[in-house]
Amino acid sequence: MVCAPRSSCPIRTAPSSSWRPILKGTDWTRQSRVIHVWDSADLRSFGNYRLLKPHAAVNSSEHNAITVNHTTDFRTVTSPQVFFDPGYDVIDGSLAMDVNGVNHLYFKGHNELVGAKSTSLGPGSFTVHTSGLAPQGGRKL
């Protein structure tokens, strides 16, 4: 089980020799820089709770880009790579994978929803293919 930042993550009880995480729901006031991980063979019982801390990306540019880390064991992660950078601030990327052989990345940029596409999922392989959708639902000209 993996609990990503800003989702229904555990909140720790008071520190003690036998503390355990308790699921409390979303707490939008807390920023989390970790992923909460448990192991389970049957998806009914969970153990081996641990925190996984992805490496922060060092972005030498003056804007936000979408970065990626990889893991195969949920214990270690690779160094970050820039996954998508159109040259301006972007946040909140969402993937629709393998739609008729094409991967689509939708993200918020310039306060608009914008789409990019790629035939691979390689870092740097996406190109913007839509103009932005305006916040009121119209199309940017």
Side-chain angles (χ1 to χ4, degrees), residues 1-10 26 32-38:
M1 177 180 194
V2 176
C3 184
R6 291 194 177 211
S7 62
S8 296
C9 294
T26 302
S32 178
R33 303 264 186 234
V34 298
I35 298 172
H36 300 262
V37 181
W38 293 263

Short mmCIF file of all heavy atoms in Angstrom, two decimals, residues 1-10 26 32-38:
data_model
loop_
_atom_site.label_atom_id
_atom_site.label_comp_id
_atom_site.label_asym_id
_atom_site.label_seq_id
_atom_site.Cartn_x
_atom_site.Cartn_y
_atom_site.Cartn_z
N MET A 1 0.85 -1.18 0.00
CA MET A 1 0.00 0.00 0.00
C MET A 1 0.89 1.22 0.00
O MET A 1 1.85 1.31 0.72
CB MET A 1 -0.88 -0.02 1.23
CG MET A 1 -1.75 1.19 1.37
SD MET A 1 -2.75 1.07 2.86
CE MET A 1 -3.90 2.34 2.51
N VAL A 2 0.53 2.20 -0.81
CA VAL A 2 1.29 3.43 -0.90
C VAL A 2 0.34 4.58 -0.65
O VAL A 2 -0.78 4.59 -1.15
CB VAL A 2 1.94 3.57 -2.29
CG1 VAL A 2 2.64 4.90 -2.41
CG2 VAL A 2 2.89 2.43 -2.55
N CYS A 3 0.79 5.55 0.11
CA CYS A 3 -0.01 6.73 0.40
C CYS A 3 0.77 7.94 -0.08
O CYS A 3 1.81 8.26 0.47
CB CYS A 3 -0.27 6.80 1.90
SG CYS A 3 -1.34 8.15 2.34
N ALA A 4 0.30 8.56 -1.13
CA ALA A 4 1.00 9.69 -1.71
C ALA A 4 0.70 10.97 -0.94
O ALA A 4 -0.29 11.03 -0.20
CB ALA A 4 0.58 9.86 -3.17
N PRO A 5 1.54 12.00 -1.13
CA PRO A 5 1.29 13.27 -0.46
C PRO A 5 -0.10 13.80 -0.77
O PRO A 5 -0.61 13.64 -1.86
CB PRO A 5 2.37 14.18 -1.05
CG PRO A 5 3.45 13.26 -1.47
CD PRO A 5 2.75 12.00 -1.92
N ARG A 6 -0.73 14.41 0.24
CA ARG A 6 -2.05 15.03 0.15
C ARG A 6 -3.17 14.02 -0.11
O ARG A 6 -4.20 14.36 -0.63
CB ARG A 6 -2.09 16.12 -0.90
CG ARG A 6 -1.27 17.32 -0.48
CD ARG A 6 -1.60 18.48 -1.35
NE ARG A 6 -0.85 19.63 -0.87
CZ ARG A 6 -1.27 20.85 -0.96
NH1 ARG A 6 -2.42 21.12 -1.50
NH2 ARG A 6 -0.54 21.83 -0.52
N SER A 7 -2.96 12.77 0.20
CA SER A 7 -4.05 11.80 0.11
C SER A 7 -4.36 11.33 1.52
O SER A 7 -3.89 11.89 2.48
CB SER A 7 -3.65 10.64 -0.80
OG SER A 7 -2.55 9.95 -0.26
N SER A 8 -5.15 10.29 1.65
CA SER A 8 -5.52 9.80 2.98
C SER A 8 -4.33 9.12 3.63
O SER A 8 -4.15 7.91 3.51
CB SER A 8 -6.70 8.84 2.87
OG SER A 8 -7.81 9.52 2.39
N CYS A 9 -3.52 9.89 4.28
CA CYS A 9 -2.27 9.39 4.87
C CYS A 9 -2.39 9.25 6.37
O CYS A 9 -3.21 9.90 7.00
CB CYS A 9 -1.13 10.35 4.56
SG CYS A 9 -0.72 10.42 2.83
N PRO A 10 -1.56 8.39 6.94
CA PRO A 10 -1.58 8.24 8.38
C PRO A 10 -1.04 9.47 9.09
O PRO A 10 -0.20 10.16 8.55
CB PRO A 10 -0.67 7.05 8.64
CG PRO A 10 -0.07 6.68 7.37
CD PRO A 10 -0.63 7.53 6.29
N THR A 26 -7.68 12.94 4.87
CA THR A 26 -6.87 14.00 4.26
C THR A 26 -6.70 15.18 5.21
O THR A 26 -7.66 15.64 5.81
CB THR A 26 -7.53 14.46 2.96
OG1 THR A 26 -7.67 13.33 2.10
CG2 THR A 26 -6.70 15.51 2.27
N SER A 32 3.46 17.10 2.82
CA SER A 32 4.21 15.88 3.04
C SER A 32 5.27 15.72 1.96
O SER A 32 4.98 15.85 0.78
CB SER A 32 3.27 14.67 3.01
OG SER A 32 4.01 13.49 3.19
N ARG A 33 6.47 15.46 2.36
CA ARG A 33 7.57 15.24 1.43
C ARG A 33 7.93 13.76 1.36
O ARG A 33 8.97 13.39 0.86
CB ARG A 33 8.80 16.03 1.86
CG ARG A 33 8.54 17.51 1.99
CD ARG A 33 8.95 18.21 0.72
NE ARG A 33 8.84 19.64 0.89
CZ ARG A 33 8.14 20.40 0.07
NH1 ARG A 33 7.50 19.87 -0.93
NH2 ARG A 33 8.09 21.68 0.25
N VAL A 34 7.06 12.91 1.90
CA VAL A 34 7.32 11.48 1.94
C VAL A 34 6.12 10.70 1.40
O VAL A 34 5.01 11.23 1.31
CB VAL A 34 7.64 10.98 3.37
CG1 VAL A 34 8.90 11.65 3.90
CG2 VAL A 34 6.48 11.23 4.30
N ILE A 35 6.35 9.45 1.07
CA ILE A 35 5.29 8.52 0.69
C ILE A 35 5.23 7.46 1.78
O ILE A 35 6.24 6.90 2.17
CB ILE A 35 5.60 7.87 -0.68
CG1 ILE A 35 5.67 8.96 -1.75
CG2 ILE A 35 4.54 6.84 -1.03
CD1 ILE A 35 6.16 8.47 -3.10
N HIS A 36 4.04 7.20 2.29
CA HIS A 36 3.84 6.20 3.33
C HIS A 36 3.63 4.85 2.66
O HIS A 36 2.81 4.73 1.76
CB HIS A 36 2.62 6.55 4.19
CG HIS A 36 2.77 7.87 4.88
ND1 HIS A 36 3.18 7.98 6.18
CD2 HIS A 36 2.60 9.14 4.44
CE1 HIS A 36 3.24 9.24 6.52
NE2 HIS A 36 2.89 9.98 5.48
N VAL A 37 4.38 3.82 3.10
CA VAL A 37 4.36 2.51 2.45
C VAL A 37 4.13 1.42 3.48
O VAL A 37 4.69 1.46 4.57
CB VAL A 37 5.70 2.24 1.71
CG1 VAL A 37 5.67 0.90 1.02
CG2 VAL A 37 6.01 3.35 0.72
N TRP A 38 3.29 0.43 3.12
CA TRP A 38 3.10 -0.78 3.91
C TRP A 38 3.25 -1.97 2.96
O TRP A 38 2.99 -1.85 1.77
CB TRP A 38 1.69 -0.87 4.50
CG TRP A 38 1.35 0.13 5.53
CD1 TRP A 38 1.41 -0.03 6.88
CD2 TRP A 38 0.84 1.44 5.33
NE1 TRP A 38 0.97 1.09 7.52
CE2 TRP A 38 0.62 2.02 6.58
CE3 TRP A 38 0.55 2.20 4.19
CZ2 TRP A 38 0.12 3.31 6.74
CZ3 TRP A 38 0.07 3.47 4.34
CH2 TRP A 38 -0.15 4.02 5.61
#
